[in-house]
Amino acid sequence: MLVNGCDCLIVIKTQYREVGVPYAEETIREAVSLLTEEAAIEGDGLCRAIRKSGGVTGCVVTPLTIGTAPLLLYLAMGSAGLPLYVSETRNIYRYKLDLLPMENSTRFDLVQERGGERKLYTVCRVNGFELRFNRGEAIHLKLDIKGERPPEIYPYADPLPRESGERFMGDRVTYRINGTEYHNIYGLTLSTEKESGTRTELWIKRSLEQGPDIPGIIEELTITAQLLRDKYEYRYFGMFRITLTRLVLISDETSIDSADGVIGPLRYYVAGTVNAEVFTIDGGSLE
């Protein structure tokens, strides 16, 4: 069951950081399996079941903000390099994020407040994610979360942090394909599965009338998202960038059955690398 964020709160905790996630939907819950024993032909006719906790399962869908984007993208990708100071700025640091399988990704804790009850889910990992860009909408990240430990009651009554910073919007995203900027991309969805290796696909929605068509093989695609305000120093703090290499077209699902403008989807498989860059105003670890 999807739960909206009206009276609920999700907080993600790592060793050094704690961020309240302004989510749109969430399904975080205890994963339960039942071992059933059916009634025999002869006997008392009772069905029995053994309840076994399977840890944690579910997802969180959240709009990316200036305060949450660095940490959430880091958890989605799985690994971050050392912070590098950005020259000619006062206190801006850059982190390179690399995509890793779930088994090698960073662990984190999650606090869920719902209906006046707080639960703590420990030793969680991201086993898949989906990043959605659409013109006129906030950029949303869906994190599929998995853990091996059952939830605990969160014992602290202190107010939990809430993030209300500026949100990244699809109108401020640029797409560069093989070094050329494309202005006819209306939406893009990056989908990655991380269990037993990584598998990444990309959906591109483009207008056929407003620019050149997108090639079937893309050597490099760079997606750069910036915030609307202009006060962020050198546009680094308030920006993130995702780079994908060696994309191969696997299907073109464009259907031209209208006299109006056509926006057709292309589906690509990412055969190369996936990495990201995020920026913060301090040099502390994202962990």
Side-chain angles (χ1 to χ4, degrees):
M1 179 180 66
L2 293 176
V3 179
N4 62 37
C6 295
D7 57 351
C8 308
L9 179 64
I10 291 290
V11 176
I12 289 181
K13 300 163 64 72
T14 63
Q15 184 176 0
Y16 298 107
R17 297 182 184 267
E18 183 175 291
V19 172
V21 177
Y23 66 90
E25 301 168 349
E26 66 99 349
T27 62
I28 302 298
R29 64 198 183 279
E30 182 179 6
V32 176
S33 59
L34 294 176
L35 178 63
T36 62
E37 178 184 355
E38 301 294 338
I41 297 177
E42 298 179 357
D44 56 14
L46 298 178
C47 297
R48 298 177 176 85
I50 300 175
R51 183 181 186 275
K52 181 181 179 181
S53 173
V56 180
T57 188
C59 72
V60 176
V61 181
T62 175
L64 291 180
T65 72
I66 188 170
T68 65
L71 178 62
L72 295 183
L73 289 173
Y74 159 58
L75 295 178
M77 299 291 286
S79 173
L82 295 175
L84 298 176
Y85 171 69
V86 179
S87 62
E88 300 184 2
T89 67
R90 291 191 302 271
N91 57 351
I92 305 298
Y93 289 82
R94 177 178 67 88
Y95 300 79
K96 181 182 177 183
L97 312 179
D98 293 316
L99 181 63
L100 292 180
M102 181 190 71
E103 296 78 10
N104 301 327
S105 295
T106 301
R107 302 174 181 179
F108 60 93
D109 297 341
L110 185 147
V111 180
Q112 177 193 62
E113 183 176 68
R114 184 194 294 171
E117 182 183 30
R118 293 183 180 181
K119 292 183 179 180
L120 173 64
Y121 299 87
T122 59
V123 196
C124 299
R125 288 189 175 97
V126 173
N127 67 327
F129 67 89
E130 185 176 280
L131 187 58
R132 298 194 294 264
F133 303 83
N134 286 300
R135 287 192 186 180
E137 300 179 11
I139 299 172
H140 279 78
L141 175 65
K142 175 177 177 281
L143 297 176
D144 294 317
I145 294 173
K146 189 172 183 180
E148 299 178 356
R149 297 181 183 178
E152 308 168 7
I153 299 299
Y154 190 67
Y156 305 106
D158 297 337
L160 295 174
R162 294 178 180 268
E163 167 62 30
S164 59
E166 185 182 358
R167 297 183 177 187
F168 287 92
M169 302 296 293
D171 296 335
R172 293 283 293 177
V173 178
T174 58
Y175 306 94
R176 298 186 70 87
I177 296 176
N178 298 334
T180 301
E181 184 173 345
Y182 279 65
H183 300 279
N184 60 334
I185 296 178
Y186 272 70
L188 186 147
T189 300
L190 176 67
S191 179
T192 298
E193 297 179 5
K194 300 182 56 172
E195 288 195 74
S196 302
T198 61
R199 296 166 296 281
T200 301
E201 291 187 359
L202 190 75
W203 290 79
I204 299 177
K205 295 180 181 178
R206 88 290 191 206
S207 170
L208 299 182
E209 289 80 15
Q210 296 184 4
D213 205 2
I214 298 174
I217 295 179
I218 299 175
E219 293 298 333
E220 183 177 270
L221 168 62
T222 302
I223 308 162
T224 303
Q226 292 181 311
L227 292 174
L228 296 175
R229 300 174 188 169
D230 58 3
K231 67 181 181 181
Y232 306 115
E233 184 178 16
Y234 289 89
R235 296 186 178 181
Y236 286 113
F237 183 54
M239 182 185 80
F240 68 85
R241 179 180 293 119
I242 297 175
T243 303
L244 307 98
T245 63
R246 196 61 182 174
L247 286 75
V248 180
L249 181 67
I250 55 179
S251 67
D252 182 349
E253 302 188 10
T254 304
S255 177
I256 303 177
D257 55 4
S258 172
D260 298 329
V262 176
I263 298 178
L266 300 173
R267 183 182 176 193
Y268 288 83
Y269 174 74
V270 182
T273 59
V274 180
N275 58 63
E277 290 179 315
V278 296
F279 298 84
T280 70
I281 57 173
D282 63 79
S285 173
L286 286 176
E287 299 180 358

